[in-house]
Amino acid sequence: MPEKSNLSRLVGLAALVTFVAGSWVGLFVVPADAAQGDVQRLMYVHVPAAWLAFLAFFVVFLMSVLYLIQRDLRWDRVAASSAEIGVVFTALTLALGSMWGKPTWGVWWTWDPRLTTTAILLAIYVGYMAIRSFADDPEKRGRWAAIVGIIGFTNVPIVYLSVIWWRTLHQPPSSPRSVSPEILWTLMLNLAAFTLIYVYLMMRRVRLAEVEGKLEERMAYHG
Amino acid sequence: MDVLRRGWAIVWKDLLIEARTKQSFNAMAFFAALVLFIFSFALGPDTVLLQRVSGGLLWVGIAFTGILSLSRTYQSEETSGGIEGLRMYPGDPRAIFLGKFIGNLVVLLAVELVLFPAAAILFQIEMWPHALELAGIALLGTIGFSIVGTFYAALTVNLRAREVMLPLLLFPALVPVLLGAVNATTAVVVGDAMQGTGIWLRLLAAFDVIFFVICVWVFPIALEE
Amino acid sequence: MTASVEAGSLAVELAGLSKRFGWNRVLRGIDLRVERGTTLALVGPNGAGKTTLLKCLATLLRPSGGEGTVCGFSLRSHPDEIRERTGLLTVRGYVYDELTAEENLRFTARMSGLRVPGATLESELERVGLARAAGQRVRTFSTGMRKRLVLAQLRIRRIELALLDEPYAGLDTEGMALVDAYVRECRDEGITVLLASHQAGEATRRAEQTALLRDGRLHFVDHDAAAATHLSARDLGVERP
């Protein structure tokens, strides 16, 4: 056990360092976007958050499949942890997207395909966590959650495609904006930072889930 | 195949019970018409507006009505001792999914036979010349709805808060179906270019195939105790 | 269909079978061997897990642990084959109120993969005394009539193992006689019967062996003593661990 917490401390430290570096660069070093001004800096948090939201759900999907095959509760715990972390980042993505939209386009919400898909992803996450709350039996809980996770994730690319088609039919597609290398590198840096944050949070959360699982077991056998 | 025969036995049983009690179909048809009526009431007499949003309203109406139908799906089993009764029989339990899915499909399509004309009247849209295309859209869309709906209804049937859980799980999953059906319907009714419907019909068909395979595959796991 | 059984082999063989719901351990390591053609009474207080055990044998519940074979087929890997040969009789039975007796029976036949002509359905209903009520909806049936229909459902399938859960519950003398006749028939035809009841005397009188399910564990008990008494662990000579 000591080795594990050392590793997570290391990851946490790395996450902190990259996050601070990324924030510093994003806020103060990189020049502001010519067209959008300082608001564009929100991208450095919004895009990584979105990346995490989807990565986390992909992990939920993987773990769900693994659980259904092997019926090992460890996979279910990882899935549940990833969902918890993912839902936070999904909400963050939406909030940031909204915050960015107001000064840029004058509206709190746009039906941008990626934002819309993220909103639906949030609904899928909520459904996933909700169905977990209805089962006391860990095996049943894992099974139901895994099913919802698999179906939910399969739906995400389909939703994305359909929303894109929906928008392009009503609007001409936006021309791709070229991105300067400095912006790209800052983005990469923040992406790395957020990924490390995710890994760190996952390590802590899964450990916690293991302890919770043992506690559940003990309480049940005593009762 | 044995699965098909047993699935069909379930369809027959459910439709027979439905035909005898009749309450559900009548209530659903009436509810559906009422929903459409309230929509047109709320939106006012602007005919052009109504025509443009008619596709959306129609499919929202179908979705709400469909949810009613879904919660009923396993109700008939509950009064007769639960879905265990069906699980006890030999053979692939997927027959249960097939049977319930087709049963739901048939009932919902029957309600749509009432709904579409009602929408034509309330929203003042010309449906008859496009009857065939609309039938195709209705079929593909309702199939998509029934596949995922029947599946999630089975999953949530024993939950305490199933009336909330079913829509919560179902509606995000139905986004592609709704988008596809609404846009295709609107394109047909408002008279957009034909390519408009083509892409949506392909989306609906792809969705139907993908989720049919997944739901049939995973169904026994959903039924486990 | 693989021929899995030799003469005299076991209808049920369980080794350490356990079932828990969440953290509630209902069955804790059940060992059981039942020879083909015997009638076993399964007694125990309400909530002891008799229904759970029967449902596990009927493959309605997945065991949480342990191994078992029913009619020669493994519970874990061949549940389908087990379901083909096993029939479960529950208290209420699985019948649809809005269908007639004949329609219910036809449904059972179809779902069991049997092609049963109308004449056979009629004769089966006649055997349980429901010939005249064949066209009536089950909604109008009394408890006794429902039980007859459920027995007909069981009979129409070719089962090797009959699992009867509280078959005498709520029945009058005539109804009980009907169940007795069925149990006797099973014995004559070599069908294994597991009879679960919370009233020891009632079950053991009709059986050849008795097992007591208590605290999730199974104990074989002295059959004659069980037949003569009401349920009591001390009386039956089973000590609390």
Side-chain angles (χ1 to χ4, degrees):
Chain A
M1 262 186 330
E3 318 93 56
K4 218 173 184 174
S5 60
N6 273 339
L7 181 61
S8 68
R9 278 209 201 105
L10 202 64
V11 173
L13 196 62
L16 185 63
V17 167
T18 30
F19 182 67
V20 168
S23 308
W24 176 262
V25 171
L27 280 174
F28 303 121
V29 175
V30 162
D33 182 71
Q36 298 173 29
D38 278 317
V39 168
Q40 181 265 344
R41 296 186 195 272
L42 275 175
M43 280 293 101
Y44 298 127
V45 194
H46 172 78
V47 172
W51 152 251
L52 274 197
F54 286 89
L55 174 70
F57 206 62
F58 177 67
V59 170
V60 171
F61 170 73
L62 268 183
M63 295 297 126
S64 298
V65 172
L66 275 172
Y67 176 72
L68 285 186
I69 296 176
Q70 294 194 349
R71 304 297 170 116
D72 187 343
L73 279 175
R74 261 182 307 164
W75 304 129
D76 179 57
R77 284 195 277 261
V78 177
S81 309
S82 191
E84 265 191 31
I85 299 172
V87 78
V88 170
F89 281 105
T90 313
L92 188 65
T93 309
L94 291 174
L96 290 173
S98 186
M99 270 194 260
W100 182 55
K102 188 72 171 93
T104 314
W105 292 326
V107 288
W108 284 114
W109 180 256
T110 67
W111 291 101
D112 165 76
R114 280 169 299 210
L115 217 55
T116 308
T117 309
T118 310
I120 293 170
L121 183 67
L122 185 64
I124 297 177
Y125 262 126
V126 170
Y128 178 88
M129 315 237 305
I131 203 159
R132 290 191 70 93
S133 69
F134 280 108
D136 295 319
D137 180 355
E139 191 275 335
K140 193 176 255 183
R141 184 171 57 204
R143 221 180 343 117
W144 284 350
I147 291 176
V148 172
I150 290 175
I151 293 185
F153 184 78
T154 312
N155 213 4
V156 169
I158 303 179
V159 167
Y160 186 54
L161 273 179
S162 37
V163 177
I164 285 188
W165 288 340
W166 179 47
R167 297 314 291 159
T168 52
L169 282 187
H170 296 265
Q171 285 179 347
S174 47
S175 46
R177 302 167 59 243
S178 53
V179 176
S180 72
E182 332 165 278
I183 295 183
L184 199 63
W185 279 111
T186 319
L187 205 55
M188 290 290 128
L189 183 58
N190 277 296
L191 217 68
F194 271 62
T195 310
L196 283 170
I197 292 178
Y198 171 72
V199 173
Y200 175 68
L201 288 176
M202 278 294 282
M203 293 173 87
R204 299 308 300 271
R205 186 63 188 88
V206 170
R207 280 280 261 115
L208 188 60
E210 280 171 21
V211 174
E212 281 172 348
K214 290 211 180 84
L215 187 64
E216 252 187 324
E217 240 186 88
R218 203 163 300 180
M219 272 173 33
Y221 283 141
H222 267 303
Chain B
M1 269 177 66
D2 184 57
V3 165
L4 295 176
R5 232 181 300 132
R6 291 169 58 245
W8 185 248
I10 294 178
V11 175
W12 186 246
K13 185 254 306 172
D14 282 334
L15 289 184
L16 199 55
I17 294 179
E18 183 58 49
R20 294 212 175 133
T21 53
K22 262 197 220 45
Q23 303 156 342
S24 306
F25 176 78
N26 290 345
M28 278 170 59
F30 188 74
F31 174 77
L34 190 64
V35 166
L36 288 188
F37 185 78
I38 293 177
F39 279 152
S40 64
F41 204 66
L43 288 175
D46 184 352
T47 318
V48 176
L49 171 66
L50 281 181
Q51 284 174 345
R52 233 178 317 135
V53 299
S54 57
L57 299 179
L58 180 57
W59 280 97
V60 171
I62 293 175
F64 283 169
T65 312
I67 291 259
L68 278 188
S69 157
L70 288 175
S71 10
R72 266 186 339 96
T73 307
Y74 300 93
Q75 212 90 344
S76 67
E77 305 303 332
E78 273 172 58
T79 53
S80 76
I83 203 169
E84 278 178 356
L86 292 178
R87 289 177 60 220
M88 267 201 333
Y89 291 111
D92 198 333
R94 293 181 173 98
I96 301 176
F97 178 75
L98 276 178
K100 293 293 179 181
F101 157 64
I102 294 177
N104 275 325
L105 183 63
V106 168
V107 172
L108 202 48
L109 284 176
V111 172
E112 285 170 26
L113 277 178
V114 169
L115 252 192
F116 272 76
I121 296 171
L122 285 170
F123 304 141
Q124 305 192 25
I125 43 186
E126 280 269 356
M127 285 198 178
W128 198 237
H130 312 283
L132 217 60
E133 301 154 57
L134 285 176
I137 298 169
L139 188 64
L140 285 178
T142 312
I143 286 177
F145 182 91
S146 302
I147 291 173
V148 192
T150 306
F151 185 84
Y152 274 140
L155 200 61
T156 57
V157 71
N158 288 316
L159 295 182
R160 294 184 297 275
R162 90 181 92 125
E163 296 93 6
V164 164
M165 278 311 295
L166 184 56
L168 177 58
L169 289 176
L170 197 53
F171 281 127
L174 286 180
V175 165
V177 175
L178 285 176
L179 277 180
V182 168
N183 283 290
T185 309
T186 310
V188 164
V189 153
V190 173
D192 270 344
M194 267 319 288
Q195 301 104 311
T197 27
I199 200 176
W200 296 117
L201 289 176
R202 280 200 293 275
L203 172 70
L204 284 177
F207 182 93
D208 290 352
V209 168
I210 292 175
F211 278 95
F212 186 75
V213 168
I214 292 182
C215 289
V216 164
W217 194 10
V218 175
F219 190 71
I221 300 181
L223 279 190
E224 269 176 37
E225 285 298 321
Chain C
M1 185 181 100
T2 46
S4 61
V5 294
E6 326 90 51
S9 67
L10 300 168
V12 176
E13 187 170 6
L14 302 178
L17 188 86
S18 64
K19 179 63 184 171
R20 52 178 210 188
F21 297 99
W23 304 112
N24 179 21
R25 293 185 297 171
V26 178
L27 301 176
R28 311 173 186 208
I30 306 276
D31 297 316
L32 180 61
R33 298 166 69 88
V34 182
E35 290 197 7
R36 294 185 155 269
T38 52
T39 305
L40 172 72
L42 187 66
V43 302
N46 282 322
K50 303 188 294 297
T51 307
T52 306
L53 179 57
L54 290 187
K55 284 189 179 169
C56 280
L57 293 175
T59 75
L60 283 179
L61 297 174
R62 260 168 68 126
S64 310
E67 299 296 322
T69 62
V70 177
C71 299
F73 290 96
S74 156
L75 273 175
R76 286 192 194 278
S77 54
H78 292 95
D80 218 45
E81 284 87 342
I82 296 179
R83 273 202 300 273
E84 270 174 46
R85 296 165 172 74
T86 310
L88 176 65
L89 189 107
T90 57
V91 180
R92 266 196 103 246
Y94 301 106
V95 289
Y96 298 98
D97 285 342
E98 292 305 323
L99 298 182
T100 66
E102 181 170 353
E103 283 162 353
N104 267 293
L105 205 55
R106 180 173 296 129
F107 180 68
T108 302
R110 284 209 190 128
M111 289 300 288
S112 309
L114 304 168
R115 294 188 192 273
V116 174
T120 318
L121 289 179
E122 276 174 35
S123 69
E124 287 295 337
L125 286 173
E126 175 133 17
R127 282 174 75 183
V128 290
L130 283 178
R132 265 180 318 159
Q136 279 177 30
R137 295 196 200 172
V138 174
R139 196 163 26 94
T140 63
F141 279 15
S142 64
T143 320
M145 290 167 82
R146 288 177 79 101
K147 185 67 76 170
R148 291 167 191 265
L149 180 58
V150 173
L151 281 177
Q153 284 181 322
L154 213 53
R155 263 225 195 85
I156 207 169
R157 301 176 52 211
R158 236 139 290 147
I159 54 178
E160 295 174 12
L161 171 65
L163 304 166
L164 312 179
D165 196 2
E166 305 279 357
Y168 302 102
L171 291 185
D172 59 5
T173 342
E174 201 185 337
M176 289 202 195
L178 210 64
V179 179
D180 279 343
Y182 177 69
V183 174
R184 265 197 308 269
E185 243 181 62
C186 285
R187 209 173 320 183
D188 293 339
E189 292 176 23
I191 299 175
T192 317
V193 179
L194 255 68
L195 221 168
S197 173
H198 65 280
Q199 286 187 6
E202 170 182 273
T204 53
R205 242 173 283 133
R206 280 106 174 165
E208 294 151 5
Q209 288 183 307
T210 304
L212 167 68
L213 188 62
R214 195 187 193 98
D215 293 333
R217 288 189 224 278
L218 203 63
H219 317 270
F220 271 91
V221 297
D222 181 286
H223 185 73
D224 300 313
T229 65
H230 284 296
L231 183 69
S232 160
R234 260 175 293 133
D235 288 351
L236 292 171
V238 176
E239 303 299 331
R240 272 189 101 85

